[in-house]
Amino acid sequence: MVAELDPETVRERIDGDGEFDLLDVRDAKAYEEGHLPGAEHVTIEELEDTVADREWADDVVVYCYIGQTSVQAARLIEEYGDVDAVASMAGGYDAWGPLEAASAD
């Protein structure tokens, strides 16, 4: 079972000094319209082709629109990537939006 992190925990990791890979597996247009700070864009198809050959940080967090594709991507990384831990962001990018609005208040 793939671990899930809530958006607030992901925010804390982004704001902290811990090194981890943050992957956005949404389509390119969605990524260009907005993404989490420091996120790398990679489609699920690209990930399938490169997961075993990539240099990974020890920890990886993946997100998509609502959290379904990111679970699939996290499973690929768990199975074929050389990582210590991988997690999907619960609720995906859609869950990040309300968090952003709350932090702006």
Side-chain angles (χ1 to χ4, degrees):
M1 183 167 180
V2 171
E4 284 193 321
L5 297 176
D6 63 79
E8 183 59 40
T9 301
V10 175
R11 171 184 289 295
E12 290 168 6
R13 293 193 69 190
I14 290 170
D15 291 344
D17 59 3
E19 186 176 319
F20 68 102
D21 288 335
L22 180 60
L23 299 182
D24 182 327
V25 294
R26 299 174 303 148
D27 64 55
K29 184 175 189 254
Y31 178 82
E32 289 170 12
E33 290 175 355
H35 55 272
L36 276 59
E40 174 190 353
H41 177 251
V42 59
T43 65
I44 192 74
E45 294 82 13
E46 291 169 334
L47 187 60
E48 289 171 346
D49 292 340
T50 63
V51 65
D53 299 325
R54 290 177 57 115
E55 293 288 325
W56 295 101
D58 290 336
D59 296 320
V60 180
V61 176
V62 185
Y63 71 94
C64 61
Y65 292 101
I66 60 171
Q68 293 178 334
T69 304
S70 59
V71 169
Q72 178 185 356
R75 283 187 185 129
L76 277 170
I77 297 166
E78 261 183 346
E79 188 167 346
Y80 299 107
D82 184 18
V83 300
D84 291 338
V86 61
S88 170
M89 186 172 80
Y93 193 76
D94 285 355
W96 186 264
L99 180 63
E100 285 296 292
S103 68
D105 291 340

